[in-house]
Amino acid sequence: MRRNLSGLPPLREVIAAHGLQARKSLGQNFLLDQNITDKIVRLCGPLAGLSVVEIGPGPGGLTRSLLHSGALRVVAVETDSRAISALEGLQQAAGDDLALVQGDALEVSLPELCEAPRAVIANLPYNIATPLLLRWMKDLKGDPATYRFMALMFQKEVAERICAVPGTKSYGRLGIVSQWLCTVKVLMDLPPSVFTPPPKVRSSVVWFVPKVLEGPQPSFDAMERVTALAFQGRRKMVRSSLKDYAAHFERLGIDPQSRAEDLSVQDYIALAQA
Ligand code: SAM
C-alpha cells in the first residue's frame, strides 16, 4: 500500500524547525534527497508483506521512502529525542504504518520490535555500525528467520571489509563472519556530497541475504575465537597464530605455512568446528 504522505514539509524545514543540526557523536549524516532514498529502497526489491526495521531515521528521509514502498509497516529506532519530535508529522501522516521507538539500537533485539517476516534497511550511524552488524549476525546464527535481508549503509572501507575475498588486505573477521552466514554484495556507492553534512569518506550500501547453511555449523563464539586469533597476527604463519588448532591442519588440507588472509571462509568454519 502506498501511504499518502503529500503535504509533509521538506526535510530541511523539519530539521530547522526541530533544531536537528547534525551531531557527529551520533553519527548523523543525513540523506535529504528523496531520489537517493527512493533508489536505495527500490534496489531492495519488493517489500510487500515485510515489516521493515530502520535504525536511526533522523529527520525521516529514508523513512518516507520506506513508507512509499509496499512494506507492511516500518519500525524505526532512534536514540535522539530531537529526531523523535521531528518525526511527529510523519508519524501522524503514516498512522499505524510507522512505529517510532526511542532507544539505543544496540539494546533492542529485532524480534522484540516486530513480527517476522522482517527486513532491516538503514543508513547506519557509522560509530556503531560494526557492533550492530556483528550483533545481527549473531542473532541470525541463533535464528535464520531473524530477517529476510538487510540493506545497510556503511563507510565504503567497512563495506569492502564485509565483501572482501581471501588474499586481499580488506579480508578479515568482519568479512568471514558475514560471508559465513550471508550472501553479501555492494548495492550502490555514494559520494560524501549526497549527505548533510558530508562525511570525509565514501559510503556503500551492502546487501545481506541469509544463507541456508548445510550440515553441522560451529557456534558463533567459536568462529569469533578462531578468526580473532588468526587475525591478531595477520602476517604470521597459521602454524604459529593458530598453533592450538595445528592438529587439524592436515585433515583439513590447511598449509601450516599459509597466513590468516590465505584461508577461505570454509577453512575458518572447519577450524571453528574442530
Ligand atoms: N536515516 C537518516 C538519514 O538517512 O538521513 C539518518 C541517518 S544518520 C547516518 C544515523 C542516525 O542514527 C541518526 O539519526 C542518529 O541519531 C541515529 N543513531 C545514532 N546512534 C544511535 C543508536 N545507538 N540507536 C539508534 N539510533 C542511533
Side-chain angles (χ1 to χ4, degrees):
M1 183 181 67
R2 286 176 76 89
R3 288 84 179 173
N4 184 6
L5 303 180
S6 58
L8 287 169
L11 291 168
R12 286 186 196 279
E13 277 179 28
V14 173
I15 289 173
H18 295 270
L20 186 55
Q21 276 68 37
R23 288 196 184 141
K24 204 171 170 199
S25 60
L26 291 173
Q28 291 180 334
N29 299 100
F30 302 134
L31 285 171
L32 305 181
D33 181 343
Q34 202 77 36
N35 293 316
I36 305 253
T37 51
D38 283 350
K39 182 167 178 193
I40 293 172
V41 173
R42 225 174 24 248
L43 286 172
C44 292
L47 299 179
L50 292 179
S51 294
V52 175
V53 175
E54 184 192 3
I55 302 302
L62 182 58
T63 324
R64 291 184 187 193
S65 295
L66 288 169
L67 286 164
H68 274 133
S69 75
L72 201 57
R73 63 196 297 250
V74 178
V75 181
V77 182
E78 174 60 64
T79 194
D80 187 344
S81 57
R82 297 173 309 155
I84 295 286
S85 68
L87 289 163
E88 268 165 19
L90 184 57
Q91 169 74 88
Q92 276 166 19
D96 290 344
D97 292 340
L98 172 63
L100 293 178
V101 178
Q102 183 169 5
D104 181 351
L106 286 166
E107 301 291 327
V108 290
S109 77
L110 297 175
E112 256 169 43
L113 292 171
C114 54
E115 306 230 312
R118 58 182 90 80
V120 186
I121 302 177
N123 172 15
L124 291 178
Y126 290 157
N127 42 347
I128 57 163
T130 303
L132 270 176
L133 177 62
L134 287 172
R135 158 97 195 267
W136 291 328
M137 287 298 147
K138 194 167 185 173
D139 288 352
L140 191 62
K141 179 67 177 58
D143 176 8
T146 307
Y147 40 85
R148 286 271 177 85
F149 70 83
M150 302 197 292
L152 305 173
M153 181 92 72
F154 295 93
Q155 297 177 44
K156 188 171 165 53
E157 177 257 329
V158 177
E160 282 169 358
R161 282 166 47 207
I162 292 165
C163 301
V165 296
T168 61
K169 82 174 188 321
S170 302
Y171 185 63
R173 299 175 63 191
L174 201 57
I176 292 166
V177 169
S178 303
Q179 293 172 41
W180 167 36
L181 299 171
C182 289
T183 301
V184 296
K185 71 171 181 194
V186 170
L187 277 187
M188 70 189 289
D189 285 333
L190 289 159
S193 56
V194 302
F195 297 88
T196 305
K200 288 203 173 65
V201 290
R202 289 182 67 82
S203 303
S204 306
V205 178
V206 184
W207 173 248
F208 301 81
V209 180
K211 284 181 178 167
V212 178
L213 299 174
E214 313 251 315
Q217 299 292 319
S219 71
F220 193 85
D221 291 347
M223 196 66 169
E224 286 226 296
R225 236 178 353 258
V226 69
T227 51
L229 271 178
F231 284 90
Q232 243 169 33
R234 162 183 283 276
R235 297 297 305 151
K236 277 191 191 161
M237 290 182 194
V238 293
R239 70 171 178 222
S240 124
S241 59
L242 293 179
K243 58 179 182 304
D244 293 350
Y245 296 78
H248 305 283
F249 286 169
E250 195 174 331
R251 176 176 60 85
L252 299 176
I254 292 174
D255 176 357
Q257 300 202 45
S258 54
R259 299 171 204 278
E261 64 189 31
D262 300 324
L263 269 49
S264 67
V265 175
Q266 207 49 49
D267 289 333
Y268 283 105
I269 296 170
L271 282 170
Q273 242 172 328

